[in-house]
Structure formats: structure tokens, C-alpha cells
Amino acid sequence: GTGVFGNAMMKGELAPYLYEAVTASMCRLNMYAADALREFDVNAMTDVTGFGLLGHALPVARSGDLTVTVESGSVPMLPELVPLAGEYGPKGVCKVAEYVNDFLTVREGVEPLTVSLLSEAETSGGLLVFVKEGQAEKALSRIRDQGDEQAAIIGHAERRQVLNEYLKVV
């Protein structure tokens, strides 16, 4: 949602408390989460920046022959992002959807705006980490102990069963 917040800010329409929220999010260093993960079996890790969450998950899925399922309701979002996105969304600037759509399945009932936000380019958007099965809860606890209260388990990965279904949003 940093692009949405940035667009609202450039138009002078971002409330000060929302400016503080997005600034704090972008200033949080990924180094602390990466350090907290040193004791875990990390299979893959990527920052979430110019290709958004789905765009960064796709190469991990394709290279590992996996289906990555993202639980849309579990993804941390900036406050008031959804109402702001309708007016201040990127409006076609980001081409990530063109990159991921051929490999993406979206469960019926998931809002198109949510899928769009998961594809949006981010500025310092955090880390997407794949840890060995059974270690996710403990890894999340360690990351939160390092001060990242927004960290969350947002899905899982499994061996791909369906041709070209590398990403699922549920």
C-alpha cells in the first residue's frame, strides 16, 4: 500500500497519522527480521518491493515447482488502505498483474481490489520468507521479539499439482 499512500500524499490528502504509519512501515529495517531467522531452515527469502507480494512470490514458486497460497485476510495492510486504494491506487502504472495473471488462481469471493493490492509495487515492503514446515510459528515469534509486530504468517507452499498454478489467493 505504500504506492497508494504516496499518491494520496502527493495530492495533499493523506492524514498525518497515516503518513506516520506508512513512514514507520518503510523505515522498519528488514535486517532485524533476517537476523532473527538465522536459527531457522529458510528455504527462500525475498524482499517485497517493485513487483509486489505476488510478483516476488512467483519466481520462488516457479523455481521450486510449488504452488504458493496467499491467505489474503492474513496479509498485513496499512491502516485505511482499502478505502484509499479506490481513489489513489496506481491506476495501471504497475504491470505486475500482466506478469502473474497466467500463473494465478483467485478463489471466488476474493475482492479484485485485494488482488490488485497484493500485486502493487512497494517501497521497503518487508520480507517474504519460506521456512521449513513446522518452524513458521516459532520463526514468527522470533521476528516479533525483534520488534516487528506486523509480521504474520500469510500462507503456505506445497508441491505444484496443477499446470501453471504457481500462485493462489484465497
Side-chain angles (χ1 to χ4, degrees):
T2 57
V4 171
F5 276 55
N7 288 344
M9 184 182 70
M10 287 189 292
K11 295 180 189 278
E13 298 180 22
L14 186 68
Y17 75 96
L18 294 175
Y19 174 82
E20 289 176 20
V22 71
T23 302
S25 172
M26 290 188 295
C27 288
R28 187 176 57 241
L29 295 178
N30 290 333
M31 172 183 67
Y32 301 116
D35 285 346
L37 293 166
R38 291 187 190 278
E39 68 185 80
F40 298 95
D41 297 310
V42 175
N43 297 309
M45 180 172 12
T46 179
D47 65 336
V48 176
T49 52
F51 293 99
L53 178 63
L54 296 179
H56 283 281
L58 180 58
V60 174
R62 291 184 74 187
S63 66
D65 201 27
L66 303 169
T67 296
V68 173
T69 299
V70 175
E71 298 167 8
S72 59
S74 297
V75 177
M77 301 269 183
L78 292 166
E80 299 186 34
L81 177 60
V82 172
L84 285 170
E87 188 168 349
Y88 302 107
K91 298 184 180 28
V93 174
C94 182
K95 305 290 185 200
V96 174
E98 294 173 15
Y99 171 59
V100 302
N101 280 351
D102 289 343
F103 308 100
L104 175 65
T105 302
V106 179
R107 185 187 70 207
E108 187 176 330
V110 175
E111 293 292 327
L113 178 59
T114 299
V115 177
S116 177
L117 290 170
L118 296 176
S119 300
E120 181 190 330
E122 295 294 327
T123 300
S124 189
L127 295 175
L128 176 62
V129 182
F130 296 81
V131 297
K132 185 176 180 178
E133 188 174 0
Q135 295 184 353
E137 290 289 340
K138 192 169 183 180
L140 175 61
S141 179
R142 287 280 195 283
I143 292 169
R144 287 184 173 170
D145 288 347
Q146 291 290 329
D148 191 344
E149 297 172 8
Q150 299 301 313
I153 296 171
I154 63 165
H156 64 277
E158 59 194 349
R159 288 279 163 226
R160 186 174 55 86
Q161 302 294 316
V162 177
L163 183 67
N164 285 338
E165 185 180 71
Y166 290 99
L167 299 172
K168 289 182 4 183
V169 176
V170 298

